[in-house]
Amino acid sequence: MPNFLSQIFNNKIELNSKNLEIFLKELNKHFKHFKEHTDVDFIKVLRNKVENFLEKNKKEIKKHKNYYKKIKDIIDDFEDYIEEIEIQEEKKQVKDIMDEIEDNYKKCDKIKKEKLKKYKKACIKKEKIEYEKELARLQVELLKLQKYIKDNKEKLLIIFEWRDAAWKWGTIKRFIEHLNPRWARVVALSKPSEIEKTQWYFQRYVQNLPSGWEITFFDRSWYNRAWVEPVMWFCTKDEYEQFIKDVPKFEKMLVESWIKIVKFYFSVSKSEQAKRFNERKTNPLKQYKLSPIDQYSQQLWDKYTLAEYKNFTTTHHKYAPWIVIRSDNKKKARLNAIKYVLRQFNYPEKIDNKFLKLDKDIVMSWLQKAKILADEIDIKKDLFE
């Protein structure tokens, strides 16, 4: 580290206006030098040192004109450049993935028999190749969206609810795969503790809501009380009815606090659910996904369907609508969920909307889903009978 910067970081130089001006010039000079050499690691080190220096000497620096703000602006410039380089690197990695897809997946009719052994995945279906390439393209868009949310200090909450075995975790995984973990996180709460059971029902979720510039993914949410809890008798009828009454007001408060809410419900057909449960029972690598509650899912199918109907018709509202994703085809479900989120924002360098077109056979409104459910069950039946 240059002598002047080392001395000022170690508090060996008086913090007056003259020295702070020199400090700013030195920072800009070295920032320019590191940028010319694309030395991101040194810029990160310099950023950390400046942040620490600013925090320790905040009061003293604020005595001298607007140097505190100028130093903060330089830190922001550091952050913007670091993020720009990281996004470029992510794009390069995604391009490498797409190139690798092309290398690994060859069309069988274009490969000579003597070369087939060279390609271990030679006979993969064309749809698989297109899926991998489209997913990579959408993940680049998610990086652009993340930068937009961070730069504008927006808050995005994506709720994932589902029928058991609806492959929702696979979708969350594809969302977060290339996102910067500093500004994206998954919240998957375990069952409430004895203390949490005595608290306001929404309390343990509130402390996990997104901060400014953050994307938060709820792997299950307060909507446990809308289907799992009443179906399995984990709550009383009074508790359920109070929840149904409170949740629209609660979510309206969140939206009015500038939290953008996306509520996904991943549905699956009864036959596909049974097929997936059987696979989990026989595959030791997937048995961890089979919970004690799952064994009742088929047996209580109609009751879960009734809970779905009552939830959609009471907790859907324009400021936080329900979006239903049919997930019998897990790959299409993943792609369409990502597309839906991307369509909600106008971020810089966004791809043409023709690449974000939703599949109407996969994405449904709550009203479409409610009409289908109403034909399957007696909607007047009491959920707690």
Side-chain angles (χ1 to χ4, degrees), residues 3-24 53 57 60-61 63-64 67 71:
N3 190 47
F4 182 85
L5 292 182
S6 296
Q7 288 184 328
I8 201 166
F9 287 146
N10 289 301
N11 297 319
K12 293 181 179 179
I13 292 180
E14 181 184 354
L15 297 181
N16 54 39
S17 296
K18 179 181 177 182
N19 286 331
L20 286 172
E21 189 64 35
I22 295 172
F23 177 60
L24 288 172
F53 167 77
N57 300 283
E60 185 63 29
I61 294 171
K63 293 178 183 179
H64 303 280
Y67 283 105
I71 296 171

Side-chain angles (χ1 to χ4, degrees), residues 264-279:
F264 283 131
Y265 183 80
F266 286 74
S267 69
V268 64
S269 65
K270 190 175 183 180
S271 59
E272 182 65 23
Q273 185 188 68
K275 176 184 172 184
R276 293 175 184 177
F277 281 158
N278 288 332
E279 183 181 354

Side-chain angles (χ1 to χ4, degrees), residues 4 14 73 86 107 124 135 185 249 279:
F4 182 85
E14 181 184 354
D73 288 343
E86 287 177 344
K107 294 179 182 179
I124 291 293
L135 177 62
R185 60 191 171 94
K249 293 181 285 187
E279 183 181 354

Side-chain angles (χ1 to χ4, degrees), residues 96-105 129 132-133 136:
D96 290 343
I97 291 171
M98 295 178 76
D99 290 342
E100 185 180 344
I101 291 167
E102 291 289 349
D103 290 338
N104 284 340
Y105 301 117
I129 302 174
E132 295 287 355
K133 291 170 69 175

Side-chain angles (χ1 to χ4, degrees), residues 338-382:
I338 296 174
K339 287 178 182 179
Y340 179 84
V341 172
L342 294 173
R343 288 171 64 92
Q344 305 311 303
F345 295 87
N346 291 316
Y347 52 88
E349 299 181 40
K350 184 176 180 180
I351 58 172
D352 195 289
N353 270 339
K354 68 181 181 181
F355 295 109
L356 301 177
K357 188 176 180 180
L358 300 177
D359 187 335
K360 294 181 180 179
D361 292 329
I362 302 297
V363 183
M364 304 173 63
S365 70
W366 72 275
L367 185 57
Q368 289 173 292
K369 183 64 175 176
K371 287 179 178 178
I372 293 172
L373 297 176
D375 291 335
E376 297 177 359
I377 49 152
D378 179 3
I379 59 174
K380 296 180 181 179
K381 194 171 182 179
D382 189 337

Side-chain angles (χ1 to χ4, degrees), residues 155-159 209 222-223 250-256 258-264 317-321 323 340 344-345:
K155 296 173 279 189
L156 174 58
L157 172 63
I158 306 179
I159 292 174
L209 291 171
W222 44 81
Y223 281 100
F250 172 67
E251 290 178 353
K252 187 175 183 182
M253 290 172 62
L254 299 185
V255 172
E256 289 174 346
W258 305 104
I259 296 178
K260 170 73 175 177
I261 302 175
V262 175
K263 297 192 301 192
F264 283 131
H317 32 83
K318 63 181 180 180
Y319 42 86
I323 303 301
Y340 179 84
Q344 305 311 303
F345 295 87

Side-chain angles (χ1 to χ4, degrees), residues 63-173:
K63 293 178 183 179
H64 303 280
K65 297 182 180 179
N66 57 345
Y67 283 105
Y68 181 83
K69 182 181 182 303
K70 288 181 179 179
I71 296 171
K72 284 281 289 182
D73 288 343
I74 289 180
I75 293 174
D76 289 340
D77 290 341
F78 290 167
E79 289 282 2
D80 289 343
Y81 178 73
I82 290 167
E83 187 165 8
E84 180 184 336
I85 295 300
E86 287 177 344
I87 286 178
Q88 289 176 8
E89 183 60 30
E90 288 286 357
K91 287 181 179 180
K92 182 179 179 300
Q93 289 176 6
V94 173
K95 183 180 182 303
D96 290 343
I97 291 171
M98 295 178 76
D99 290 342
E100 185 180 344
I101 291 167
E102 291 289 349
D103 290 338
N104 284 340
Y105 301 117
K106 301 291 183 180
K107 294 179 182 179
C108 295
D109 58 357
K110 292 186 178 181
I111 302 174
K112 295 179 180 179
K113 288 184 178 180
E114 61 268 23
K115 290 186 177 182
L116 274 174
K117 291 182 180 179
K118 179 181 176 181
Y119 301 100
K120 295 180 180 179
K121 302 174 183 177
C123 291
I124 291 293
K125 293 179 180 179
K126 182 181 178 181
E127 300 91 88
K128 170 69 174 176
I129 302 174
E130 294 306 315
Y131 162 73
E132 295 287 355
K133 291 170 69 175
E134 186 172 8
L135 177 62
R137 185 184 300 116
L138 294 176
Q139 287 174 329
V140 170
E141 294 302 304
L142 284 172
L143 285 166
K144 297 177 188 176
L145 174 61
Q146 185 180 42
K147 184 178 187 306
Y148 169 80
I149 287 173
K150 175 184 173 294
D151 289 349
N152 292 278
K153 292 185 171 61
E154 297 213 11
K155 296 173 279 189
L156 174 58
L157 172 63
I158 306 179
I159 292 174
F160 289 82
E161 294 290 339
W162 66 94
R163 273 288 180 110
D164 292 320
W167 296 102
K168 54 82 198 174
W169 173 245
T171 303
I172 296 174
K173 181 181 177 181

